[in-house]
Amino acid sequence: MTLKLGVIGTGAIGQEHIRRCNNVLQGAKVVAVSDINVEGAKAALQRLNIEAEVFADGHDVIKSPNVDAILVTSWDPTHEDFTLAAVAAGKYVFCEKPLAMSAEGCRRVVDAEIKHGKRLVQVGFMRPYDAGYRALKKVITDGDIGEPLMLHCAHRNPTVPESYDTPAAITNTLIHELDVLRWLTNDDYKTVQVVFPRVTSKSHAKLKDPQIVLFETQKGVRIDVEIFVNCVYGYDIQCEVVGELGIARLPEPSAVQTRKAAQLATPILTDWKDRFIGAYDVELQAFINDVKADVLTGPSAWDGFAASVAADACLKAQVSGAIEAIEMPPRPAFYDKK
Amino acid sequence: MTLKLGVIGTGAIGQEHIRRCNNVLQGAKVVAVSDINVEGAKAALQRLNIEAEVFADGHDVIKSPNVDAILVTSWDPTHEDFTLAAVAAGKYVFCEKPLAMSAEGCRRVVDAEIKHGKRLVQVGFMRPYDAGYRALKKVITDGDIGEPLMLHCAHRNPTVPESYDTPAAITNTLIHELDVLRWLTNDDYKTVQVVFPRVTSKSHAKLKDPQIVLFETQKGVRIDVEIFVNCVYGYDIQCEVVGELGIARLPEPSAVQTRKAAQLATPILTDWKDRFIGAYDVELQAFINDVKADVLTGPSAWDGFAASVAADACLKAQVSGAIEAIEMPPRPAFYDKK
Amino acid sequence: MTLKLGVIGTGAIGQEHIRRCNNVLQGAKVVAVSDINVEGAKAALQRLNIEAEVFADGHDVIKSPNVDAILVTSWDPTHEDFTLAAVAAGKYVFCEKPLAMSAEGCRRVVDAEIKHGKRLVQVGFMRPYDAGYRALKKVITDGDIGEPLMLHCAHRNPTVPESYDTPAAITNTLIHELDVLRWLTNDDYKTVQVVFPRVTSKSHAKLKDPQIVLFETQKGVRIDVEIFVNCVYGYDIQCEVVGELGIARLPEPSAVQTRKAAQLATPILTDWKDRFIGAYDVELQAFINDVKADVLTGPSAWDGFAASVAADACLKAQVSGAIEAIEMPPRPAFYDKK
Amino acid sequence: MTLKLGVIGTGAIGQEHIRRCNNVLQGAKVVAVSDINVEGAKAALQRLNIEAEVFADGHDVIKSPNVDAILVTSWDPTHEDFTLAAVAAGKYVFCEKPLAMSAEGCRRVVDAEIKHGKRLVQVGFMRPYDAGYRALKKVITDGDIGEPLMLHCAHRNPTVPESYDTPAAITNTLIHELDVLRWLTNDDYKTVQVVFPRVTSKSHAKLKDPQIVLFETQKGVRIDVEIFVNCVYGYDIQCEVVGELGIARLPEPSAVQTRKAAQLATPILTDWKDRFIGAYDVELQAFINDVKADVLTGPSAWDGFAASVAADACLKAQVSGAIEAIEMPPRPAFYDKK
């Protein structure tokens, strides 16, 4: 039985997800979409050669009796509202990050979901679906390197647009690590500190680049994340876990090795879309399968809330230069993994 | 519009392909199957939770008006017959390797297809669909390493069963290289020689292991392939292309790097099924898409014939110890790539 | 003309240097030694099959008219006194680290040397003589990676004895990085902070292990050094320099790569003596050559002082948990490189 | 006691060895040299700032009572004569390769040495002194990869001069592998075959480049050596030993790894002199030490003879295209390792 999906927001990511659901994945079909630009939505569907009902208002997608589950890929400030509406309607909803514009907003979704009595919300953090991170987590979980003590991470982009400013390093870039490192270590953040190295000459006036973000976790693990978004040389994600018995490192993407022009080399990706492309397919297929099995297992509203709480503390630490506490309330039993 | 598939033979590979088509890929559905063991076929469908008509005779699958295209995954000696029948019925057919039990048998399929006037047959060589080989081919085609002059290859298995004998090194193992290296270099074999190193103590009486197979191609490229099927340490596929300007190497599978117990290490796979698992999905999805687009682009009956001609010469060279000619007729224009 | 050396202290390092000078290096010969244990010194010379005058008091070595230059390899607390005496005698002196037991002590050597009017002292920091660090420095100096912005370093030992405590992580271990990183980046430290991850279960009561030491330099470069001396898996020195245009990494020691037991692996050293063995030869040969050329170019008394000032601040930061200033006076013109 | 050396031939290699003995190594000193160009020899000594007696005739060096041991670094065709003269004089002699211009010539040296009753001759094969080959041999000898079954080797130069022709691939290039692979595997060659891939467009009229040389050894090991001397990209020596339990690979030279311009890369050397520079020092130091200990352990006249016999068969195989026998007489007990 095919799952009928409604997609709210037909911008770049929305179109990607529509194409993915209808042309790549199994078991689901987009039957309705909405966008404030109705004509744009229609044109997009035509380009994709997909037939679906088109609404101007996302709430109509949620209400449509023809729609089983919702994908929220609209303008960020509308995420919370649509997700709350989906929960109110008792429909499963996959909401692209961020779940809301503030930790308080995320908390409202959490509270609504708990009140509803059943997990309905998955947040679009895709790194836990990346084969590399999964292999890394398996090494940790299998005990191959003993208890984790430190993580050394880096998130590097070749360049960013002028609109990207110092806080964006947290909200646009680090946000991925904020989620995936919690998942990887099965731990929560306790404190954060941000330090600013010498600024690269490749940056612009509103952006201090690079930055180093230093966490202590509840278990005492120390995590350092280098964020360097004008690193010029490529899109490069590094994660090294230092354990009591050894060290494990996130796989480099598989690539042809050449011996050429006095260099033994493998290419480094330059476009982030190439890096995690496979993970998006796995993520959305998992959502579809979970909805059909009637039990969500992916990143939850609570995970969205936790990332948001941590991000807020990071932003505070960027300004204060001090070690800031990350005040994370205890996880409700509702979100315990079965 | 969903492509309706009929699967002849519900052994291990047949079941894998049924699962793949119905649960992983897009745009096709298995609607009929056959097996000489009808009860076994029914049980398999039940395990897979798939509904399909079940026949005792593969020819009934081919004749069924409900079936658009055929997958031949039956006992090897029956491949030629079913493929010829599918061609006679004007239906697209994906035939697992080998296409036939002899070069003559493959030639009969080629002739039938040409007589029919349109490509209908794809042979189940999956390595050209592997992301690593595709990346390697791109490096060559882009001219990054200049004209290829030599290929150094290895095909290693940790162990093989007692039934695997010296000729099986060609027909079971080298057969993959025979196909993929023609595709990789866009070239054809001219001569072959087989040399036998000292036999590993891990082998058994009927198997000379390892073997080295040496080819010269039409363009003068020299290829050496080490076949070592009791190498103990893992399943390892190596391919290095030496060109006029540099060298390119088939990517190692992506893996977590560890520093542990005085070693900097990445795991090597031990099961061949893990190595090319992704390629099977890509291969069959491509067949489905091509059938729906009404033009086949994958490994052709001619490619099946070419691999068979080369394999026959390899078998002769195993026995003679001499340099054997590979008498490959010119490729019919029918098989030129558009 | 052979340089005649006097060696003060014939313990393990002293014997190593005597062997090195007489059996490996060119242009020098140990002609006199001293040790508070005269019989031990005599026995050591006999084992090494070397003839030299033996004194009970290092000052007699310095005074001996037969001795051209001094190696101080005695008990740490005596280094300053012997080095000052050598300077007073106008003799070149190679002093194993530490130059003195405090920054003040190092400063006294600096002042004495400046007063003397010519560089006479080399401190036994050997990493700048390691081929790997030299290659790394060349990449930086050549501008291959642009201006350095961050350094990520690690100093890992498999295990340490019970006598090694928390401050020893600075004075025994980090001291090498304190010197080599100044040299590598041609920069000075400005602040330091020490953070303590979860303690490994492999440590003992008096040692918080691992530790992370975070520096800001005068040029604004951020340096993190992981010190992990019960890492179990090996002796491993890592140094990654992140520049504006790219990243350069300290070479791994050259090693045989194996494919074995489902692993692609290279060995990691476990004994620190194997890691920098070559550097000791280069270091002492350079000292000998420089003395004969009458101009020292290696690590100076000022470098010894700078490392000591930084180490003191690190020790303070271990206790305070705060960001501590490293109050480094400006370098006297006397120590400018010609 | 310093060993007094006489050097016959003060060309490039001669000067290098003079510099090495006098400025780098321990325990020896060049006291006499000869060259047919006496003025050139004097000028060379002056440049090197070394005082030594200068003769026009190498035989005068050998006869000089002031000379303990001889280095032959003269024009290749004179090697045999000078080595025989040294043996006749009962003096240790280090002869640069080739030991003689033919296998017969080498045999004459062997016979003379046996007749003399004691090993006096070391041939200048330096690869067994390379740290990488030694580490590789240790892995084999330790049994880490089980019994060797196959070796895959490559010897690549970026370019060669016009004077380098097809046979030079054997006599100038492969000659190093001919020696080191016997030493590495403790085995002897039985047959050889040469195959010629498509010729690179970077070669010139008199040189078929690349070539592949295929050996079978007495123990049945199969060895393939790719010789590619216009490979453009670098000077690259590869050696992979496939054993019953695993594979071991000659270490790549240690180098700085960079992430830059969308590539993860390490440099490849381009000048052969940089590749084995350290091995020359070790080789000559070992000769000096062995002479002083009065027992030679390095590559013997027999090893020179064996390489020459193999080279002759390779040259024959280049022309015949056939599998040629390598008729190696049994090793005299005189050359058994103690």
Side-chain angles (χ1 to χ4, degrees):
Chain A
M1 199 204 50
T2 300
L3 185 72
K4 287 172 285 175
L5 297 173
V7 177
I8 301 175
T10 59
I13 296 181
Q15 292 182 37
E16 260 303 285
H17 280 341
I18 294 169
R19 178 197 62 78
R20 186 166 277 123
C21 292
N22 280 37
N23 300 348
V24 180
L25 306 180
Q26 275 266 348
K29 203 171 104 171
V30 173
V31 299
V33 308
S34 72
D35 203 279
I36 47 168
N37 174 357
V38 171
E39 291 314 307
K42 286 181 180 167
L45 289 179
Q46 200 159 19
R47 269 197 310 279
L48 290 165
N49 194 25
I50 284 170
E51 283 180 44
E53 209 171 351
V54 179
F55 298 97
D57 184 345
H59 289 286
D60 293 332
V61 172
I62 295 169
K63 283 179 210 152
S64 166
N66 194 35
V67 167
D68 300 326
I70 310 294
L71 306 191
V72 177
T73 54
S74 51
W75 190 43
D76 287 3
T78 67
H79 287 187
E80 177 188 345
D81 181 41
F82 287 128
T83 302
L84 286 171
V87 170
K91 293 192 178 181
Y92 282 109
V93 54
F94 176 95
C95 179
E96 268 304 327
K97 70 180 180 54
L99 177 58
M101 298 304 282
S102 66
E104 292 68 31
C106 294
R107 185 75 210 214
R108 281 189 290 267
V109 177
V110 162
D111 291 342
E113 190 178 42
I114 291 177
K115 191 172 160 204
H116 175 81
K118 177 176 153 187
R119 272 200 59 191
L120 292 176
V121 181
Q122 175 163 339
V123 180
F125 289 125
M126 86 295 188
R127 288 217 195 152
Y129 295 99
D130 172 63
Y133 274 109
R134 290 169 95 108
L136 182 57
K137 186 171 168 93
K138 182 168 177 2
V139 167
I140 299 170
T141 308
D142 288 355
D144 289 356
I145 59 165
E147 286 296 313
L149 305 174
M150 293 170 280
L151 275 72
H152 305 306
C153 309
H155 188 138
R156 302 186 189 118
N157 291 57
T159 184
V160 288
E162 288 283 322
S163 59
Y164 185 113
D165 58 9
T166 296
I170 305 302
T171 52
N172 280 21
T173 299
L174 186 71
I175 194 71
H176 291 285
E177 271 76 18
L178 286 176
D179 177 66
V180 79
L181 301 181
R182 283 181 72 242
W183 167 85
L184 187 68
T185 57
N186 197 25
D187 199 352
D188 259 308
Y189 308 112
K190 191 170 152 194
T191 69
V192 64
Q193 179 185 6
V194 179
V195 299
F196 293 99
R198 177 178 178 175
V199 175
T200 176
S201 65
K202 313 297 177 190
S203 191
H204 50 77
K206 292 181 306 178
L207 173 59
K208 288 195 210 170
D209 183 41
Q211 306 177 21
I212 301 174
V213 186
L214 305 161
F215 296 98
E216 185 178 9
T217 74
Q218 295 292 345
K219 293 181 187 165
V221 173
R222 289 284 178 167
I223 300 174
D224 45 85
V225 185
E226 175 202 318
I227 307 168
F228 188 10
V229 294
N230 289 288
C231 82
V232 179
Y233 77 84
Y235 180 72
D236 201 2
I237 303 298
Q238 299 286 325
C239 182
E240 195 174 52
V241 183
V242 182
E244 288 193 337
L245 299 174
I247 297 178
R249 193 171 185 166
L250 187 69
E252 303 280 342
S254 193
V256 173
Q257 185 192 62
T258 56
R259 292 172 186 267
K260 203 188 146 188
Q263 282 201 313
L264 178 58
T266 45
I268 294 175
L269 296 173
T270 51
D271 190 335
W272 64 269
K273 288 189 286 289
D274 297 333
R275 180 63 177 84
F276 291 109
I277 188 78
Y280 286 104
D281 291 353
V282 179
E283 174 195 39
L284 222 46
Q285 185 69 64
F287 175 72
I288 291 165
N289 296 350
D290 282 357
V291 167
K292 292 172 93 167
D294 203 22
V295 54
L296 289 191
T297 60
S300 67
W302 183 259
D303 294 324
F305 170 65
S308 187
V309 168
D312 285 353
C314 292
L315 292 169
K316 199 170 159 195
Q318 278 188 330
V319 175
S320 73
I323 298 169
E324 299 290 345
I326 300 181
E327 305 285 3
M328 188 67 196
R331 186 169 61 187
F334 181 85
Y335 290 104
D336 285 351
K337 303 286 178 196
K338 312 302 185 274
Chain B
M1 198 203 51
T2 299
L3 186 73
K4 287 172 286 176
L5 298 172
V7 178
I8 300 175
T10 58
I13 296 180
Q15 291 180 38
E16 260 303 286
H17 281 340
I18 293 168
R19 179 198 61 78
R20 187 168 277 124
C21 292
N22 280 38
N23 299 348
V24 180
L25 307 180
Q26 274 268 347
K29 203 171 104 172
V30 174
V31 298
V33 308
S34 73
D35 204 278
I36 48 168
N37 175 357
V38 170
E39 292 313 308
K42 285 180 180 169
L45 289 179
Q46 201 160 19
R47 267 197 311 279
L48 290 164
N49 194 24
I50 284 170
E51 284 179 42
E53 211 172 348
V54 179
F55 297 98
D57 184 345
H59 290 286
D60 292 332
V61 173
I62 296 167
K63 281 178 212 153
S64 167
N66 193 34
V67 167
D68 300 325
I70 309 294
L71 306 191
V72 178
T73 54
S74 51
W75 191 41
D76 288 2
T78 67
H79 287 188
E80 178 188 345
D81 181 42
F82 287 128
T83 303
L84 285 171
V87 170
K91 293 192 179 181
Y92 283 109
V93 53
F94 177 96
C95 179
E96 266 306 326
K97 67 179 183 55
L99 178 57
M101 297 306 281
S102 66
E104 292 69 32
C106 294
R107 184 75 211 215
R108 282 189 290 270
V109 177
V110 161
D111 291 343
E113 190 179 45
I114 291 176
K115 190 170 161 207
H116 175 81
K118 175 175 152 186
R119 273 199 61 191
L120 291 177
V121 180
Q122 175 163 338
V123 181
F125 289 126
M126 87 295 189
R127 287 218 196 152
Y129 295 99
D130 171 64
Y133 274 109
R134 291 170 95 109
L136 183 57
K137 186 171 168 91
K138 182 168 178 358
V139 167
I140 299 170
T141 308
D142 288 355
D144 289 355
I145 59 165
E147 286 296 314
L149 305 174
M150 293 170 280
L151 273 72
H152 304 307
C153 309
H155 188 139
R156 303 186 188 118
N157 290 58
T159 185
V160 288
E162 287 284 323
S163 58
Y164 186 111
D165 58 9
T166 298
I170 305 301
T171 52
N172 280 20
T173 299
L174 187 71
I175 193 72
H176 290 286
E177 270 77 17
L178 286 176
D179 176 66
V180 78
L181 300 180
R182 282 181 72 242
W183 166 85
L184 188 67
T185 58
N186 198 24
D187 200 352
D188 258 309
Y189 307 112
K190 191 170 154 194
T191 69
V192 64
Q193 180 186 4
V194 180
V195 300
F196 293 99
R198 176 179 180 175
V199 175
T200 175
S201 65
K202 311 297 176 191
S203 192
H204 51 74
K206 293 180 305 178
L207 173 59
K208 289 194 209 169
D209 182 41
Q211 307 178 21
I212 302 173
V213 187
L214 305 161
F215 297 98
E216 186 179 7
T217 74
Q218 296 292 345
K219 293 182 186 164
V221 172
R222 291 282 178 169
I223 300 174
D224 44 84
V225 185
E226 175 201 319
I227 307 168
F228 189 9
V229 295
N230 289 289
C231 82
V232 180
Y233 78 84
Y235 180 73
D236 201 4
I237 302 298
Q238 298 285 326
C239 182
E240 194 175 54
V241 182
V242 182
E244 290 194 336
L245 298 174
I247 297 178
R249 192 169 186 166
L250 187 68
E252 303 280 341
S254 191
V256 172
Q257 186 193 62
T258 55
R259 292 171 185 267
K260 202 189 147 188
Q263 283 201 313
L264 179 57
T266 46
I268 293 176
L269 295 173
T270 51
D271 189 336
W272 63 269
K273 287 190 286 291
D274 296 333
R275 180 65 176 83
F276 291 110
I277 187 79
Y280 286 104
D281 291 351
V282 179
E283 175 196 39
L284 222 48
Q285 185 70 64
F287 174 72
I288 291 165
N289 295 350
D290 282 356
V291 167
K292 293 172 93 166
D294 204 23
V295 53
L296 290 191
T297 59
S300 67
W302 183 259
D303 294 323
F305 170 65
S308 188
V309 168
D312 284 354
C314 292
L315 292 169
K316 200 170 160 194
Q318 278 188 330
V319 175
S320 72
I323 298 169
E324 300 290 345
I326 300 180
E327 306 285 2
M328 188 68 197
R331 186 170 60 187
F334 180 85
Y335 290 104
D336 285 352
K337 303 287 180 197
K338 309 306 185 271
Chain C
M1 198 205 48
T2 300
L3 185 72
K4 286 172 286 177
L5 298 172
V7 177
I8 300 175
T10 60
I13 295 180
Q15 291 181 38
E16 260 302 285
H17 281 340
I18 293 169
R19 179 198 62 79
R20 187 166 276 124
C21 291
N22 280 38
N23 300 349
V24 180
L25 307 180
Q26 275 265 350
K29 203 171 104 171
V30 173
V31 298
V33 309
S34 72
D35 203 280
I36 49 168
N37 174 358
V38 171
E39 291 313 308
K42 285 180 179 167
L45 289 179
Q46 201 160 17
R47 269 197 310 279
L48 290 164
N49 195 23
I50 284 169
E51 284 180 42
E53 209 170 351
V54 179
F55 297 98
D57 184 345
H59 289 285
D60 292 332
V61 173
I62 295 168
K63 282 178 210 151
S64 167
N66 194 34
V67 166
D68 300 326
I70 310 294
L71 306 191
V72 178
T73 54
S74 51
W75 190 43
D76 288 2
T78 67
H79 287 187
E80 178 188 345
D81 180 42
F82 288 128
T83 302
L84 286 171
V87 170
K91 294 192 178 181
Y92 283 109
V93 53
F94 177 96
C95 179
E96 266 305 327
K97 68 180 182 55
L99 178 57
M101 297 304 282
S102 66
E104 292 69 32
C106 294
R107 184 76 211 214
R108 281 190 289 269
V109 177
V110 162
D111 290 343
E113 190 178 44
I114 291 177
K115 191 172 160 203
H116 176 81
K118 177 176 154 187
R119 273 201 59 193
L120 291 177
V121 181
Q122 175 164 337
V123 180
F125 289 125
M126 86 295 187
R127 287 219 196 151
Y129 295 99
D130 171 63
Y133 275 109
R134 290 169 94 108
L136 182 57
K137 186 171 168 95
K138 182 169 176 359
V139 167
I140 300 170
T141 309
D142 288 355
D144 289 355
I145 58 165
E147 286 296 314
L149 305 174
M150 292 169 280
L151 274 73
H152 304 306
C153 308
H155 188 138
R156 302 186 190 118
N157 291 59
T159 184
V160 289
E162 289 283 324
S163 59
Y164 185 112
D165 59 8
T166 297
I170 305 301
T171 52
N172 280 21
T173 299
L174 186 71
I175 193 71
H176 291 284
E177 271 76 17
L178 286 177
D179 176 66
V180 79
L181 300 181
R182 283 181 71 241
W183 167 85
L184 187 68
T185 57
N186 197 26
D187 199 353
D188 258 309
Y189 308 111
K190 190 168 153 195
T191 69
V192 64
Q193 180 185 6
V194 178
V195 299
F196 293 99
R198 178 176 179 176
V199 175
T200 176
S201 65
K202 312 298 176 189
S203 192
H204 50 74
K206 291 180 307 177
L207 173 59
K208 288 195 210 169
D209 183 40
Q211 306 179 20
I212 301 174
V213 186
L214 305 161
F215 296 98
E216 184 178 9
T217 74
Q218 295 292 345
K219 293 182 187 165
V221 173
R222 290 283 178 168
I223 300 174
D224 44 86
V225 185
E226 175 200 319
I227 307 168
F228 187 11
V229 295
N230 289 289
C231 82
V232 179
Y233 78 84
Y235 180 72
D236 200 4
I237 303 298
Q238 299 285 326
C239 182
E240 195 174 53
V241 182
V242 182
E244 289 194 335
L245 299 174
I247 297 179
R249 193 169 186 167
L250 188 68
E252 303 280 340
S254 193
V256 173
Q257 186 193 62
T258 56
R259 290 171 187 268
K260 204 188 145 188
Q263 282 201 312
L264 178 58
T266 45
I268 294 175
L269 296 172
T270 52
D271 189 336
W272 64 268
K273 287 190 286 289
D274 297 333
R275 178 64 177 84
F276 291 110
I277 188 79
Y280 287 103
D281 290 353
V282 179
E283 174 196 40
L284 222 46
Q285 186 68 64
F287 175 73
I288 291 165
N289 295 350
D290 282 356
V291 167
K292 293 172 94 166
D294 204 23
V295 54
L296 290 190
T297 60
S300 68
W302 183 258
D303 294 323
F305 170 65
S308 188
V309 168
D312 285 353
C314 292
L315 292 168
K316 200 170 158 194
Q318 278 187 330
V319 176
S320 73
I323 299 169
E324 299 290 345
I326 300 181
E327 306 284 2
M328 188 67 196
R331 186 170 61 187
F334 180 85
Y335 289 104
D336 286 351
K337 303 286 179 197
K338 310 304 184 270
Chain D
M1 198 204 52
T2 301
L3 185 72
K4 286 172 286 175
L5 298 172
V7 178
I8 300 175
T10 59
I13 295 179
Q15 290 181 39
E16 260 303 286
H17 280 340
I18 294 169
R19 178 197 62 78
R20 187 167 277 124
C21 292
N22 280 38
N23 299 349
V24 180
L25 307 179
Q26 273 268 346
K29 204 172 105 171
V30 174
V31 298
V33 308
S34 72
D35 203 281
I36 47 169
N37 175 358
V38 171
E39 292 313 309
K42 285 180 179 167
L45 289 179
Q46 201 159 18
R47 267 198 310 278
L48 290 164
N49 195 24
I50 284 169
E51 283 181 43
E53 212 172 346
V54 180
F55 297 98
D57 185 345
H59 289 285
D60 292 333
V61 172
I62 295 167
K63 281 178 211 153
S64 167
N66 195 33
V67 167
D68 300 325
I70 310 294
L71 306 191
V72 178
T73 54
S74 52
W75 191 44
D76 288 2
T78 67
H79 287 188
E80 177 187 347
D81 181 42
F82 287 128
T83 302
L84 286 170
V87 170
K91 292 192 179 181
Y92 283 110
V93 53
F94 177 96
C95 179
E96 266 306 327
K97 67 178 183 58
L99 178 56
M101 298 304 282
S102 66
E104 292 69 30
C106 294
R107 185 75 211 213
R108 283 189 289 269
V109 177
V110 162
D111 290 344
E113 190 179 44
I114 291 177
K115 191 171 161 205
H116 176 80
K118 177 175 151 186
R119 273 200 60 192
L120 291 176
V121 181
Q122 175 164 337
V123 182
F125 289 126
M126 86 297 187
R127 286 219 197 151
Y129 295 99
D130 171 63
Y133 275 109
R134 290 170 95 108
L136 182 58
K137 186 171 168 92
K138 182 167 177 2
V139 167
I140 299 170
T141 309
D142 287 354
D144 289 355
I145 59 164
E147 285 297 313
L149 306 174
M150 293 170 280
L151 273 73
H152 305 306
C153 308
H155 188 139
R156 303 187 188 117
N157 291 58
T159 185
V160 289
E162 287 285 323
S163 59
Y164 186 112
D165 59 9
T166 297
I170 306 301
T171 53
N172 280 22
T173 300
L174 187 71
I175 193 71
H176 290 285
E177 270 77 16
L178 286 176
D179 176 66
V180 79
L181 300 181
R182 282 181 72 242
W183 167 84
L184 187 67
T185 58
N186 197 25
D187 199 352
D188 259 309
Y189 308 112
K190 191 170 154 194
T191 69
V192 65
Q193 179 185 5
V194 179
V195 299
F196 293 99
R198 176 178 180 176
V199 175
T200 175
S201 64
K202 312 296 175 191
S203 192
H204 50 75
K206 292 180 305 178
L207 174 59
K208 288 194 209 169
D209 184 40
Q211 306 178 20
I212 301 173
V213 187
L214 305 161
F215 296 98
E216 185 179 8
T217 74
Q218 296 292 345
K219 293 182 187 164
V221 173
R222 291 283 178 168
I223 300 174
D224 45 84
V225 185
E226 174 201 320
I227 307 168
F228 189 9
V229 295
N230 289 290
C231 81
V232 180
Y233 78 84
Y235 180 72
D236 200 5
I237 302 299
Q238 298 286 326
C239 182
E240 194 175 53
V241 182
V242 182
E244 290 193 336
L245 298 175
I247 297 178
R249 191 168 188 167
L250 186 68
E252 303 280 342
S254 193
V256 172
Q257 186 192 62
T258 55
R259 293 172 186 267
K260 202 189 148 188
Q263 282 201 314
L264 179 57
T266 46
I268 294 175
L269 296 173
T270 51
D271 190 336
W272 63 268
K273 288 190 287 290
D274 297 333
R275 179 65 177 82
F276 291 109
I277 187 78
Y280 287 103
D281 291 352
V282 179
E283 174 195 41
L284 222 48
Q285 186 69 64
F287 175 73
I288 291 165
N289 296 351
D290 282 356
V291 167
K292 293 172 93 166
D294 204 21
V295 54
L296 289 191
T297 59
S300 68
W302 184 259
D303 294 324
F305 169 64
S308 187
V309 168
D312 284 354
C314 292
L315 291 168
K316 200 170 160 195
Q318 277 188 330
V319 176
S320 72
I323 298 169
E324 299 289 346
I326 300 180
E327 306 284 2
M328 188 68 196
R331 186 170 61 186
F334 180 85
Y335 290 105
D336 286 351
K337 303 287 179 197
K338 309 305 184 269

